[in-house]
Structure formats: structure tokens, C-alpha cells
Amino acid sequence: MTGQLDAQLQQALADRLLALADDEVILGHRDAEWTGHAPILEEDIAIANLAQDEIGHALIWYQLREDLTGRDPDETVYFRDASAYRNVQMVELPKGDWAFTMLRQYLFDVYERLLLDRLVASTHAPLAEAAAKIRREEIYHYRHTSTWVERLALGTEESHRRMQDGLDRLWPFAAQLFVAGPGDGALAAAGIFPDLSELQQAWEATVRPFLEQAELTIPQAEPLTVGRERHTHWLPILLGEMQVVARVETPETAW
Amino acid sequence: MSQMPSQEQIWRALQEVMDPEIPVLSLVDLGIIREVKVEGQEVTVVMTPTFSGCPALEAMRQEVEEKLQELGVPRPRVEVVLDPPWSSDQISPEGRRKLEAFGLAPPPVHRGDPEIMLNPVVPCPYCGSRRTRVTNTFGSTLCRAIYYCDACQQAFEQFKPL
């Protein structure tokens, strides 16, 4: 299949795959920070599973990109600086409290689920196959995080306040998921990757009524529309921790 | 040139390669071996992952290679494919019996839509009671959920439908 893409589409797809993979690996890392610290044991187990799934999905996207560019996934994750990462800012923000974590994961899960629903029909077969694989696992994520958002939002005064605070902070950042990069128009025209503005409409049509019936108020803040090359100062801090072992490892080190 | 094993011999040998996370279940029982190809001196085993983040995949791949080497294949190849995606429906009837005997409730058969099977009654693998409840849809590995049996008051795990 890759042989049928011209150079321009191939570059556009490689860029998009990097965005997909970077979102998942950074979100997976933030989720993994809860391991041993979640509010209850069951949730400690659940969030560790979510993290592991997201990192597994990242690997699939990095491998598809490797097929196009020859770039090794480990090299890509552990030996790139923040300026070369293409994740959205939403996933690099510190893990915050449990409400923030569950809401961020929920907003991302809805996006991912709707994206995968469309990607299974991609004209690029490897992408369609990967989406079909990942989609089944995402069912568990969506169900878990939507349950928590609803319960906390409709729970006690404190849990509601924390959920609303999380939404006030996250809502403007979520819009960046739908900011198109330079090659995305060509990908959509070729039926390889869905149109992001249509995806955004579908996402809003899902999350808005859900959040409203959970008695949360969607803020009127200005949406974040900068490109994925722009990051907060939190990303280099995260990468410093995530990459340190790989970077200090000498060629002789054996696990 | 050494004599290559037959397809049948290879399938039989793969029955002895166990899932490292569920040591009673072979890779064949699990339904992740898609194809065995023997072409001259070239032997290729085509595998598919269960959950995409499953860390056991690399270990299983290595064990398949070692098993093929034991059978006299000099340079075995293991190919990993994603299509069609693995489903828990592909666990063999024999595999389901082994899971239950191991104390791991087998996943319900869903015929294509695991979503409808997220709230099934899961009989306790120890006492068979249907008075059980899910306590966590996530468990000690990506493929397990945690249940509790109110009849025998025993926690148990289920292999999740996927």
C-alpha cells in the first residue's frame, strides 16, 4: 500500500501518525504517574491498564510511521526533545486531581473513538487495520471514564466543584485536537484520514450533551488553536523524567 | 539441507508454547496463531496480538522462534499481523475449558460486538454460581477483569471479551 502514496501524501501521513502516536504516549505517561497513587486500589489497577493500552496504541502508530520513514519507535520516543514532539498540550498538562485525570481521559477517549470509527474506512489499508484493532480496546476506556465523569459531576459538592474546575481548565485545550496540520487537507481529500472539522462537530455533539446532563457548565473560553509544534513548559519536564533511563543507558547495559 | 518439519508437526509443537501470563493456555488455544507456512527451508509463523499493549507478545514471539529451532528450523520467521483483529471469540473450546479449570472465567462469546457483552452474568469458575458481580473491568493484566462471587465469597478473574 505504501508504494501507492506519492511523496507528498507519504510525508503528510507520517506527520499525522506522529501526532497520533505522540498524543497517546504522553497521555499514557501522565496516566502512569498514578500507579501506586490512585484514590482506591481498583482505580490504581484501572488507570495502569489505561496507560498501558495508550502506550500500546502509540507503538502501533509509531510502527506504521516507521514503515514510511524508517524511524525506530524507541529512538523516536526517547531521543527527541520537546520541540520535535507533536502531541497536543492537553495531554502534557500535569496529572492534577482524579477529576481532572478522568475528564481529560474522557475528552480524549471520545475523540479517539470517533476518530477510529472513521479510520476503519481509511483508503490506506494499514491505517484501517490498525484502527479496527484499537477500536475494540477503546470501548473499555470510554465506558470507564464516562462513568467517572458522570459520577463525580453528580456526586458531592466537592466532587462537582473539582470536575467543573477540571472542565474550565481543559475545555480550551481540547480544541487543539482538531487543529489541522499542513498535510491534513490532502490526507482528507485522499480518504486516508478524516476531515478534522467534521470530527470536531461529531465530538462536540457527543461531549456537550453528556457534560450538560452531568450538570457541568461548558466554559466560554477562547479555544486553543495553535499548531502541534507549540508546547507548554510541562512537556520538557515530563520528557526529562520519561527519557532519563534510556539516555543514561550505555550500550553495554542489559536488562 | 536439513529436513524441515511438516505444518502438522509445527502446529503440534505450538500447542506446547504457553501464554506467559496464562500458563495453562497455549498460543494455539488462544487463537493467535494465524498461519504456518513451510516453503522449502523457509518456515514462517503468522501471529496476531491479543491486546495491542500486551507485553507478552515479544516473549511469545521469542518462544515460537525457539520452538521452531528445536524442530530443526535454522532461521524461523515470525510475522505479526493486525488484520483481522483478534477477538476473544477465537479462543478454542479446549482453551475455554482450560481457562475455567485455571480459575479464570472464560469470556462470553459475542460474535463480533464485545460491547453488548460488557454486562453479562459471569458464572463463578470455582463454584459455578451465577451470583457474581464485577468489581473492576480492569485487572492484573490487560486481558482480565475482576469479579466477586457472593455464593462462595471468592474473588476471581475473568478473561475479558474483546
Side-chain angles (χ1 to χ4, degrees):
Chain A
M1 275 310 285
T2 53
Q4 293 169 16
L5 297 179
D6 66 29
Q8 187 209 348
L9 276 179
Q10 201 161 317
Q11 183 59 51
L13 180 55
D15 290 347
R16 190 27 79 176
L17 285 166
L18 187 64
L20 290 176
D22 284 350
D23 279 350
E24 303 236 37
V25 87
I26 299 299
L27 183 59
H29 184 85
R30 282 296 186 217
D31 285 344
E33 290 177 344
W34 282 101
T35 308
H37 304 278
I40 51 173
L41 180 58
E42 281 78 2
E43 284 311 302
D44 206 298
I45 294 167
I47 193 86
N49 272 260
L50 292 178
Q52 197 178 334
D53 276 335
E54 301 301 25
I55 293 168
H57 300 165
L59 180 59
I60 288 184
W61 302 130
Y62 285 126
Q63 283 168 338
L64 287 182
R65 181 171 177 269
E66 185 183 21
D67 294 340
L68 297 172
T69 63
R71 297 295 177 82
D72 173 67
D74 282 337
E75 194 74 23
T76 307
V77 170
Y78 293 117
F79 296 91
R80 251 183 327 153
D81 291 331
S83 61
Y85 265 79
R86 291 295 176 265
N87 59 281
V88 291
Q89 295 180 14
M90 180 172 97
V91 297
E92 70 198 36
L93 300 175
K95 73 183 196 300
D97 61 12
W98 191 249
F100 182 89
T101 290
M102 284 295 110
L103 182 63
R104 168 164 62 185
Q105 186 70 42
Y106 164 76
L107 295 173
F108 189 84
D109 288 343
V110 175
Y111 150 80
E112 195 176 6
R113 202 173 177 186
L114 293 167
L115 172 63
L116 294 171
D117 283 347
R118 286 155 180 74
L119 268 186
V120 292
S122 170
T123 54
H124 186 62
L127 205 52
E129 290 170 9
K133 173 77 195 153
I134 296 173
R135 188 160 67 147
R136 292 185 173 210
E137 298 169 13
E138 281 297 326
I139 295 169
Y140 286 97
H141 292 205
Y142 176 77
R143 216 173 78 119
H144 193 75
T145 54
S146 59
T147 303
W148 268 111
V149 169
E150 197 169 26
R151 284 197 178 184
L152 291 176
L154 300 173
T156 65
E157 205 175 299
E158 184 189 356
S159 72
H160 177 81
R161 174 177 52 76
R162 285 173 180 259
M163 198 46 90
Q164 184 63 54
D165 288 350
L167 185 59
D168 291 346
R169 177 132 167 80
L170 282 163
W171 186 257
F173 282 96
Q176 199 196 4
L177 285 167
F178 308 100
V179 174
D184 286 325
L187 289 179
I192 295 171
F193 197 83
D195 173 57
L196 287 164
S197 54
E198 185 277 325
L199 186 63
Q200 182 164 23
Q201 285 169 17
W203 180 83
E204 292 207 11
T206 306
V207 299
R208 278 182 179 274
F210 176 81
L211 296 171
E212 280 162 4
Q213 61 83 34
E215 295 174 13
L216 294 167
T217 308
I218 293 167
Q220 295 295 328
E222 194 67 32
L224 184 71
T225 53
V226 298
R228 285 170 170 262
E229 70 287 350
R230 297 266 299 275
H231 294 288
T232 67
H233 72 286
W234 299 109
L235 183 62
I237 300 171
L238 179 152
L239 293 179
E241 191 172 294
M242 188 174 91
Q243 297 175 332
V244 64
V245 175
R247 291 193 181 206
V248 298
E249 189 178 320
T250 62
E252 302 82 52
T253 315
W255 289 93
Chain B
M1 296 294 247
S2 53
Q3 175 70 40
M4 286 298 104
S6 69
Q7 284 204 356
E8 199 193 336
Q9 281 171 310
I10 294 169
W11 277 105
R12 228 181 1 247
L14 292 175
Q15 274 283 9
E16 292 160 20
V17 182
M18 299 298 162
D19 177 342
E21 288 183 344
I22 309 166
V24 295
L25 214 55
S26 79
L27 305 192
V28 178
D29 295 328
L30 196 54
I32 65 167
I33 305 291
R34 285 281 160 82
E35 204 184 343
V36 172
K37 293 187 271 196
V38 183
E39 289 150 348
Q41 297 283 302
E42 288 270 305
V43 174
T44 308
V45 170
V46 182
M47 283 175 69
T48 194
T50 53
F51 283 72
S52 41
C54 180
L57 182 67
E58 266 316 298
M60 294 193 284
R61 189 191 176 117
Q62 217 170 332
E63 284 178 39
V64 169
E65 284 178 0
E66 284 165 15
K67 186 53 98 180
L68 291 172
Q69 279 162 350
E70 278 173 34
L71 291 177
V73 180
R75 283 175 308 279
R77 284 192 34 162
V78 178
E79 199 182 306
V80 176
V81 297
L82 296 179
D83 181 60
W86 180 85
S87 152
S88 52
D89 279 6
Q90 288 157 17
I91 299 174
S92 68
E94 176 66 14
R96 287 171 188 277
R97 280 191 291 277
K98 288 179 184 171
L99 278 176
E100 199 154 22
F102 183 59
L104 200 56
V109 175
H110 56 71
R111 296 189 175 80
D113 185 7
E115 192 150 20
I116 57 166
M117 296 311 298
L118 289 176
N119 284 318
V121 175
V122 176
C124 172
Y126 297 108
C127 75
S129 169
R130 295 166 69 83
R131 280 172 51 213
T132 63
R133 55 194 157 86
V134 65
T135 58
N136 198 344
T137 50
F138 297 93
S140 59
T141 66
L142 293 182
C143 56
R144 301 183 194 200
I146 305 172
Y147 280 74
Y148 189 79
C149 175
D150 285 326
C152 70
Q153 298 183 8
Q154 168 75 40
F156 66 93
E157 289 183 306
Q158 179 214 28
F159 196 113
K160 279 154 82 153
L162 184 72

